[in-house]
């Protein structure tokens, strides 16, 4: 069966040569450098230098894995490439990871606006720019904040070039099921965060701490760049998320996506996905862990009353 090729080009590996000029004659000679180079086959664009032991993952291999995920019932959403093909990615939807509204519609008029879209991200890179990975990804629609959760049940899939195709489909279905379990847990935890109320003072202190800035130091004694970082963080606090652990968490994801990475990003597609979405930010994971710890403490105190 003929299927659409989303990346209709390949990469090839060639020896790299170094130029030397002979002083006596001025002649140029080229000799092997010992390194290899990865090039696109369609336009000969140089993707990067690699070691002689580097093993290339072909676009065809990635395409075949995407087809097999689709054979499990996953639905194509979007795809793209960055840095002229150094990184490629595809997003898929699955009934295992449904889009979710965060919060209780009895508590907030903004409940229906706070939707999180959930997708499966398949990504790979050429010239060692990105390892092959399969992960669940959340995208908060109201602000396009992204979070690639480092949760149990989301172990990366190894590429299998041999074996029965149907066996691989079964293996990928198991992986989709595991991602689904992890994301249901994640959505449940997001809902718990939404109920864990926090004051502006607590959220501001959290913003300082996540940036490794002492909240006790007077702002007028801080460097201008430091004050700008703090202001950029607090500006990401939004009314839809609210004054709670969920709001504090999204303050950080918004800061990373729209402030910290603004200069290095290359634009989002129509699904809110961008180059920096591939990078599981340390600050985002740290914020998730801290806000879950806060939520658990909040629940413990509330239930004790």
């Amino acid at each position: 069966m003929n299927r659409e090729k989303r990346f209709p080009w390949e990469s090839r590996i060639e020896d790299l040569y170094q130029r030397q000029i002979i002083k006596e004659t001025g002649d140029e000679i080229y000799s092997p450098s010992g390194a290899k180079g990865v090039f696109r086959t369609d336009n000969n664009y140089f993707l990067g230098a690699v070691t002689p032991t580097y093993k290339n993952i072909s676009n065809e291999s990635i395409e075949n894995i995407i087809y097999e995920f689709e054979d499990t019932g996953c639905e194509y959403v979007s795809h793209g490439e960055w840095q002229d093909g150094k990184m490629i990615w595809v997003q898929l939807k699955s009934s295992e990871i449904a889009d979710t509204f965060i919060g209780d519609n009895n508590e907030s008029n903004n409940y229906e606006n706070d939707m999180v879209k959930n997708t499966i991200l398949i990504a790979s890179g050429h010239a060692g720019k990105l390892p092959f990975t399969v992960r669940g990804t959340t995208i908060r629609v109201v602000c396009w904040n992204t979070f690639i959760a480092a949760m149990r049940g989301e172990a990366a899939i190894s590429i299998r070039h041999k074996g029965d195709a149907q066996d691989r489909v079964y293996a990928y279905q198991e992986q989709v099921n595991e991602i689904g379990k992890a994301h249901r847990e994640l959505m449940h935890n997001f809902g718990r965060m939404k109920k864990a109320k926090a004051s502006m003072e607590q959220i501001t202190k959290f913003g300082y701490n996540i940036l490794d800035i002492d909240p006790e130091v007077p702002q007028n004694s801080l460097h201008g760049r430091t004050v700008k970082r703090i202001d950029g963080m607090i500006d990401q606090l939004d009314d839809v998320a609210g004054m709670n652990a969920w709001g504090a968490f999204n303050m950080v994801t918004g800061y990373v996506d729209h402030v910290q990475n603004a200069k290095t990003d290359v634009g989002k597609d129509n699904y809110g996905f961008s180059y920096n979405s591939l990078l599981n930010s340390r600050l985002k994971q740290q914020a998730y862990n801290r806000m879950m710890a806060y939520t658990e403490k909040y629940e413990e105190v509330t239930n004790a009353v």
Side-chain angles (χ1 to χ4, degrees):
M1 179 175 64
N2 292 327
R3 303 175 96 164
E4 177 189 358
K5 278 189 171 291
R6 282 138 191 162
F7 306 103
W9 56 274
E10 280 297 346
S11 61
R12 70 178 188 275
I13 300 176
E14 295 183 359
D15 290 326
L16 292 181
Y17 291 83
Q18 57 188 2
R19 186 184 69 167
Q20 294 176 305
I21 300 177
I22 300 175
K23 291 183 179 180
E24 291 78 5
T25 63
D27 293 338
E28 294 183 353
I29 62 171
Y30 292 84
S31 58
S33 67
K36 302 278 188 178
V38 182
F39 300 83
R40 287 182 63 137
T41 56
D42 58 342
N43 58 14
N44 293 319
Y45 181 78
F46 176 63
L47 296 171
V50 295
T51 65
T53 58
Y54 175 79
K55 300 296 183 183
N56 195 38
I57 298 176
S58 68
N59 286 353
E60 182 180 10
S61 295
I62 303 300
E63 298 265 20
N64 288 335
I65 288 174
I66 294 165
Y67 298 152
E68 289 173 339
F69 264 88
E70 290 175 320
D71 290 341
T72 71
C74 289
E75 179 184 349
Y76 166 81
V77 174
S78 61
H79 74 282
E81 59 184 64
W82 286 296
Q83 295 185 359
D84 298 299
K86 291 178 182 177
M87 288 167 282
I88 61 174
W89 57 270
V90 172
Q91 281 186 302
L92 303 172
K93 290 288 292 179
S94 167
S95 59
E96 291 289 333
I97 52 170
D99 297 343
T100 305
F101 290 112
I102 303 301
D104 186 339
N105 59 358
N106 293 321
E107 294 181 0
S108 172
N109 293 329
N110 290 324
Y111 161 75
E112 293 188 355
N113 296 326
D114 212 353
M115 173 186 272
V116 171
K117 288 184 177 291
N118 295 309
T119 67
I120 294 173
L121 166 68
I122 300 177
S124 188
H126 294 288
K129 297 300 180 184
L130 183 76
F132 174 78
T133 185
V134 177
R135 287 285 183 267
T137 306
T138 71
I139 303 172
R140 186 165 172 251
V141 175
V142 71
C143 54
W144 296 127
N145 292 357
T146 59
F147 183 54
I148 301 177
M151 299 180 68
R152 64 179 179 274
E154 287 197 307
I157 296 174
S158 60
I159 296 181
R160 305 174 185 182
H161 295 285
K162 298 180 181 180
D164 182 76
Q166 189 58 54
D167 287 343
R168 292 197 301 273
V169 170
Y170 289 144
Y172 295 151
Q173 179 63 62
E174 289 180 9
Q175 185 68 16
V176 171
N177 292 339
E178 288 300 309
I179 291 175
K181 290 177 184 178
H183 267 256
R184 284 190 288 276
E185 178 182 345
L186 185 63
M187 295 305 103
H188 174 68
N189 287 342
F190 283 171
R192 292 169 63 196
M193 285 184 187
K194 183 92 171 182
K195 295 178 180 179
K197 293 179 173 53
S199 66
M200 187 65 201
E201 181 181 358
Q202 288 174 306
I203 292 175
T204 301
K205 185 175 181 180
F206 168 67
Y208 272 76
N209 288 335
I210 207 80
L211 293 173
D212 292 324
I213 300 169
D214 186 351
E216 303 302 324
V217 176
Q219 194 172 78
N220 58 13
S221 66
L222 295 173
H223 191 282
R225 285 196 298 267
T226 303
V227 173
K228 190 174 181 179
R229 290 173 64 208
I230 295 169
D231 290 344
M233 175 74 77
I234 303 303
D235 284 347
Q236 294 300 312
L237 188 63
D238 67 84
D239 294 335
V240 176
M243 302 295 290
N244 46 51
W246 172 244
F249 168 70
N250 280 284
M251 177 181 71
V252 177
T253 61
Y255 173 78
V256 174
D257 284 346
H258 308 303
V259 180
Q260 186 183 69
N261 289 335
K263 292 182 179 180
T264 58
D265 223 332
V266 291
K268 294 176 171 58
D269 72 352
N270 57 10
Y271 203 72
F273 195 65
S274 64
Y275 163 59
N276 285 307
S277 303
L278 290 174
L279 309 177
N280 189 19
S281 166
R282 176 188 62 83
L283 284 184
K284 290 183 182 181
Q285 189 64 49
Q286 190 179 39
Y288 175 81
N289 295 340
R290 290 191 183 187
M291 284 300 96
M292 276 309 300
Y294 174 87
T295 298
E296 289 168 359
K297 184 66 176 178
Y298 179 90
E299 291 171 340
E300 180 183 333
V301 172
T302 303
N303 294 335
V305 175

